[in-house]
Amino acid sequence: MRGLALGRWLDTLSARITLVVMGILLAFSATLGGAVYTVTAGWLTSTGEDRLEALAAARQMAIEVQVARYKDAYTAFLSPNLAGELRVLLRTQGELSETARAALAVDLARNLRTSESLESAFLLGPEGQILASSRAPDESDTLGARTLHDALLKPLLSAPYRVRETWYVDVAGPIVGEDGTVLAVLRLRKNAENLLAITGDHRGLGETGEYVLSMRVGDQIRILLSTRFVPDPSLLEPVAVTSTVAVPMIAATSGQSGQVVARDYRGVRVLASYRPIAGTSWGMVVKQDMDEILADARRVLLTLLLALAGLQVAALALVFPFVRTLTQPLRILEQATRRVAAGDLGAEVPDEGAEELRALGTAFNAMVRSLSDARGEASRHEEEMESFSYAVSHDLKAPLRAVNSISTWLEEDLAGKLDPKSLEHLRLLRERVGTMNALIDGLLEYSRVGRVTRPETRVPVEDVVSGVLEVLPPREGIQVKVAKPLPEMYADPVRLAQVFQNLIGNALQHHPGPEGTVEISCQDREDAWEFSIRDDGSGIDPRYHERVFGIFQVIERRPGTESTGIGLALVKKIVEDRGGEIWVESAGIPGEGTFFRFTWHKRMEDKS
Amino acid sequence: MRAHARILLVDDDLVDCEAVLRAFKTHRVVNPIHVAHDGVEALHFLRREGAFADASAAPTPSLILMDLEMPRMNGLECLSEIKGDPDLCHIPVIMFTSSRKEEDVVASYKHGAASFITKPVTFEKMLDTIRTLDLYWTLSELP
């Protein structure tokens, strides 16, 4: 039901115009929105690129400075006398005595104070054993075998690590004897909080930007320091170098620098600048989520779309009254057309609206006026015809009446003086006057068929037939059979009665025998009823089948009958005027009789 | 015994005149009937002019029966003359016509006709009309 109503609405002019306008506006909105978004996003991305590049360059430099300082601290620590002293001690004693260890510890502690932010210093034997330390060692001071191995070859910087909430880096390197052998490994633990100060400054990175310092270990990449969103990177799974995420980090730790839009270690799309840190195997990434970078573009787009939606509403508000100015005249025209169809030729439409609609309205009014004129003309003709018919009947009948009166007076005045022959002549005179009268009446009736119309009503044909049989009672010996039921159908009852009266009357009047049968029946022919009036009289020679329906055609004049030759012509005219057909079926053989058949079209209401 | 009321019949159609006269005769009405064949002749008779200057030749009638369609002066013109004449306006006039047009009926009554009979005029129709008009006394039948 609702779907049907929607379908009907979609079929209307207003729906079509509204949808077209809306469609144009939507396409316009989409195009404009897309263009604005593309431009804004491009601009924001390019601004972000510049910003991240600048930040990356500055931070890279700051970190490299820090790294250099760590290495300088190692050189400074080792340089004054520690190396020489150690060499002497190791050469003279082979094994360090307790006294030597204590003295070394004092030296280490003293040197520790010369350099800023050094937490502890250790001297380790080539096997990793602690030779001396600035403080009592704990479990965090153990050096891994690989680190030890590396540190025996050259000075190196460890990855930052955390001990008791503080970040440290180790700087470790060999102490080489005069003969080139490695005497010991010096390991300095240095506070690395200043690195964190560099990577923990998120100014210029919005809400989602961060610095990530990472290092490649074998086939994996590890994040080195706390980041903005990862306080403890040791809890993170290391990233494989073949990973499709953390692309900037992998590139940075491979010694590359550049900028990319890619997925970071979280799998989030970011804009990232990446740099290697010189003198280390570290890489640095500065990144910010693309979502945030483009947030302004999205805000602009949203604002624009809201504005365009407002425009749509405003357009609708304008379109509806506009559409009404189109559809209203059409509705008025439709109603006026219906009124005209219903016969109201006074219907006019107002001369307003768009030019084309006005033209349509003007044309409609002109059409109605010319229809009205034509109808006026037709009704004038009709009136003329009616008054002509009246004049004919009146003026033709008046002399007949006079002749009739005079013949009667003659008979009265000459009563007893006229011989039977003259009396018979007077009777014949009056009989012919009667025939003439009937002819005039018949002719008038004939001219009225199709010209003078009455509204059709639903007529029970049985009633019509029985009415006719009351007026035309069959003479003795003639039997009339009505094959009931006869239908009920739309007809002008007077005309239909004329049809049956003439056909039945014809059958009764022309029946030659003392005994006979007249049958009335009906058959349903879908679009029409076919009626049949059959007699078993003398039949009609096929030569005369067409002529019987001609006006004034009297095939067989029978004494005592007032056959005018109009009856069957009248019937034919009535039947054909209503779109039906009438015909005779007879072989012309006495006793086999005649069929008069005619069809009467059903109206739509009759069919259902 | 009072004199029979006189009737003036105005009709140009001789057959129609004859029909009325015969109807009266058939029904033994003995009132003297004078026939005029058009409006002009009727007015001459009523006003005793021309051929009817002799008063004895043209006694005033008690009832006028007049056809509508006549040459020289038609029924309506004659009727309005009669009704406009203070000496004649009291005489009841019954109009005859073969016309069935409504405007003729309306015009007749408007000009002062007492009644209206459509042709063919039969005695029964006349009697009915006369009775309706309460003019029954005007018809005198033979005992």
Side-chain angles (χ1 to χ4, degrees):
Chain A
M1 200 66 202
R2 182 171 298 174
L4 208 69
L6 180 68
R8 258 204 307 275
W9 181 75
L10 282 177
D11 215 28
T12 62
L13 198 57
S14 37
R16 287 173 186 198
I17 293 175
T18 307
L19 288 179
V20 165
V21 170
M22 294 293 101
I24 290 171
L25 280 176
L26 271 179
F28 173 72
S29 301
T31 311
L32 187 64
V36 166
Y37 182 78
T38 307
V39 168
T40 319
W43 181 77
L44 284 170
T45 308
S46 132
T47 315
E49 281 166 3
D50 293 351
R51 183 164 42 85
L52 290 188
E53 273 298 283
L55 286 170
R59 298 300 154 95
Q60 179 196 26
M61 190 177 288
I63 293 168
E64 283 175 352
V65 166
Q66 279 303 320
V67 167
R69 277 195 191 150
Y70 297 150
K71 290 188 173 176
D72 289 351
Y74 169 79
T75 317
F77 193 92
L78 198 60
S79 62
N81 45 22
L82 188 64
E85 193 179 339
L86 194 61
R87 280 183 209 115
V88 172
L89 279 173
L90 288 171
R91 194 174 56 227
T92 55
Q93 298 188 347
E95 284 291 310
L96 281 176
S97 65
E98 278 305 311
T99 326
R101 282 176 200 261
L104 276 175
V106 172
D107 282 349
L108 288 175
R110 191 186 58 236
N111 272 9
L112 204 62
R113 280 194 294 277
T114 65
S115 187
E116 201 186 327
S117 70
L118 285 174
E119 191 263 344
S120 61
F122 286 79
L123 275 177
L124 305 165
E127 312 304 327
Q129 76 277 24
I130 293 172
L131 299 176
S133 62
S134 62
R135 59 164 170 77
D138 59 36
E139 75 277 6
S140 75
D141 294 328
T142 326
L143 211 56
R146 188 188 167 86
T147 315
L148 181 68
H149 178 260
D150 286 351
L152 284 169
L153 298 174
K154 58 171 186 179
L156 56 86
L157 184 68
S158 78
Y161 61 92
R162 192 148 59 167
V163 178
R164 288 180 291 277
E165 300 303 312
T166 306
W167 285 93
Y168 298 101
V169 287
D170 282 355
V171 194
I175 296 174
V176 186
E178 280 156 342
D179 59 355
T181 58
V182 176
L183 301 172
V185 168
L186 172 66
R187 176 193 165 202
L188 297 172
R189 175 182 280 181
K190 200 170 187 318
N191 185 304
E193 288 291 321
N194 43 9
L195 269 184
L196 208 62
I198 295 168
T199 61
D201 177 4
H202 302 114
R203 281 177 298 173
L205 288 178
E207 297 296 318
T208 61
E210 61 178 353
Y211 295 94
V212 177
L213 211 53
S214 56
M215 191 177 80
R216 178 163 173 170
V217 181
D219 285 342
Q220 295 184 328
I221 314 282
R222 284 188 166 277
I223 292 178
L224 298 176
L225 274 178
S226 299
T227 71
R228 189 176 189 175
F229 302 113
V230 186
D232 188 355
S234 65
L235 298 178
L236 280 181
E237 280 288 304
V239 177
V241 289
T242 53
S243 169
T244 53
V245 295
V247 172
M249 207 154 81
I250 295 167
T253 55
S254 310
Q256 299 164 14
S257 59
Q259 195 166 48
V260 71
V261 174
R263 302 209 175 272
D264 69 359
Y265 62 92
R266 299 166 299 164
V268 175
R269 253 169 65 86
V270 293
L271 174 63
S273 283
Y274 51 91
R275 302 284 171 107
I277 301 296
T280 69
S281 59
W282 303 351
M284 187 200 68
V285 174
V286 194
K287 64 179 179 66
Q288 191 177 0
D289 291 5
M290 280 309 281
D291 278 351
E292 188 181 17
I293 290 172
L294 299 180
D296 281 344
R298 290 182 184 152
R299 259 195 298 280
V300 166
L301 180 65
L302 189 68
T303 314
L304 184 70
L305 289 183
L306 278 175
L308 289 172
L311 188 67
Q312 294 251 14
V313 172
L316 268 183
L318 286 175
V319 160
F320 273 129
F322 166 70
V323 168
R324 256 184 86 77
T325 65
L326 290 182
T327 55
Q328 194 58 21
L330 289 178
R331 289 203 190 287
I332 291 172
L333 194 60
E334 181 211 346
Q335 282 157 10
T337 310
R338 287 188 192 284
R339 276 167 58 199
V340 171
D344 174 10
L345 291 185
E348 278 214 12
V349 295
D351 182 18
E352 56 190 36
E355 203 271 330
E356 291 88 343
L357 293 173
R358 275 207 313 278
L360 183 60
T362 311
F364 175 83
N365 288 341
M367 179 191 77
V368 173
R369 269 194 297 278
S370 86
L371 267 179
S372 173
D373 290 350
R375 189 155 81 173
E377 187 86 348
S379 79
R380 262 194 305 285
H381 283 158
E382 183 53 44
E383 273 170 31
E384 277 170 23
M385 191 64 204
E386 191 53 33
S387 66
F388 171 76
S389 305
Y390 172 76
V392 166
S393 82
H394 178 255
D395 295 345
L396 288 183
K397 280 175 142 188
L400 278 183
R401 205 171 54 235
V403 171
N404 202 46
S405 300
I406 293 164
S407 76
T408 310
W409 299 336
L410 273 176
E411 202 177 318
E412 284 169 10
D413 294 349
L414 298 175
K417 294 179 196 161
L418 284 174
D419 54 28
K421 200 179 169 191
S422 300
L423 277 173
E424 174 63 9
H425 287 166
L426 281 175
R427 195 190 60 75
L428 284 174
L429 178 71
R430 280 200 296 280
E431 190 188 292
R432 294 298 183 272
V433 166
T435 305
M436 186 71 188
N437 219 31
L439 275 171
I440 291 170
D441 284 342
L443 208 53
L444 272 178
E445 201 50 48
Y446 185 82
S447 85
R448 285 203 176 100
V449 174
R451 196 162 55 77
V452 183
T453 52
R454 282 171 291 257
E456 293 199 338
T457 54
R458 238 178 120 72
V459 181
V461 182
E462 279 179 29
D463 292 359
V464 175
V465 171
S466 59
V468 167
L469 291 175
E470 270 174 34
V471 183
L472 296 172
R475 66 184 146 89
E476 195 80 11
I478 305 284
Q479 203 183 355
V480 177
K481 288 183 186 168
V482 180
K484 290 179 182 177
L486 293 178
E488 214 179 286
M489 61 187 195
Y490 275 90
D492 171 352
V494 177
R495 294 277 178 249
L496 190 64
Q498 283 173 328
V499 170
F500 278 105
Q501 186 164 350
N502 279 291
L503 291 177
I504 295 172
N506 210 49
L508 294 176
Q509 201 174 63
H510 292 282
H511 204 289
E515 283 184 1
T517 312
V518 174
E519 278 176 27
I520 298 149
S521 60
C522 177
Q523 273 176 303
D524 192 342
R525 294 277 185 243
E526 276 187 44
D527 279 347
W529 298 108
E530 185 186 298
F531 292 94
S532 163
I533 288 90
R534 177 184 182 269
D535 64 60
D536 53 0
S538 43
I540 298 173
D541 192 301
R543 278 182 297 165
Y544 301 123
H545 284 189
E546 274 308 307
R547 276 179 57 192
V548 291
F549 296 112
I551 194 157
F552 299 137
Q553 293 291 335
V554 181
I555 307 302
E556 177 202 29
R557 191 170 293 286
R558 296 177 65 82
T561 61
E562 279 192 18
S563 196
T564 56
I566 287 178
L568 288 178
L570 181 71
V571 167
K572 184 177 162 77
K573 201 174 174 199
I574 292 172
V575 168
E576 289 182 350
D577 181 60
R578 209 177 167 293
E581 282 179 86
I582 185 162
W583 66 97
V584 188
E585 289 171 15
S586 175
I589 300 165
E592 288 189 6
T594 310
F595 280 99
F596 272 94
R597 295 190 201 274
F598 71 93
T599 55
W600 197 266
H601 278 281
K602 295 177 184 177
R603 291 216 317 213
M604 288 307 287
E605 303 95 306
D606 281 333
K607 286 180 195 171
S608 58
Chain B
M1 187 176 156
R2 71 180 169 86
H4 298 301
R6 287 175 184 278
I7 296 173
L8 173 63
L9 174 65
V10 192
D11 196 338
D12 64 313
D13 190 325
L14 294 176
V15 179
D16 286 343
C17 285
E18 179 67 15
V20 173
L21 294 175
R22 278 186 171 261
F24 276 55
K25 196 170 140 195
T26 308
H27 292 87
R28 299 165 174 276
V29 174
V30 294
N31 300 54
I33 300 176
H34 183 85
V35 178
H37 293 98
D38 60 53
V40 177
E41 191 185 330
L43 285 178
H44 282 174
F45 178 83
L46 290 168
R47 290 176 179 156
R48 289 168 190 149
E49 291 168 352
F52 306 103
D54 180 5
S56 62
T60 307
S62 306
L63 176 67
I64 302 174
L65 304 171
M66 182 149 57
D67 190 21
L68 210 55
E69 288 133 39
M70 291 181 297
R72 288 214 287 176
M73 180 188 273
N74 71 26
L76 280 183
E77 290 164 340
C78 184
L79 177 65
S80 64
E81 282 286 332
I82 293 168
K83 291 299 161 183
D85 189 327
D87 294 335
L88 306 173
C89 64
H90 64 278
I91 309 170
V93 182
I94 296 175
M95 303 301 290
F96 293 158
T97 182
S98 50
S99 161
R100 264 177 284 173
K101 286 184 218 147
E102 201 180 343
E103 63 247 39
D104 288 342
V105 183
V106 173
S108 301
Y109 283 118
K110 209 157 124 190
H111 285 91
S115 192
F116 196 94
I117 297 174
T118 44
K119 284 187 182 179
V121 177
T122 62
F123 187 74
E124 287 71 23
K125 274 191 202 169
M126 249 182 319
L127 207 59
D128 277 348
T129 311
I130 286 167
R131 274 203 194 109
T132 318
L133 292 177
D134 200 18
L135 295 171
Y136 196 66
W137 54 267
T138 54
L139 295 188
S140 317
E141 291 167 48
L142 279 179

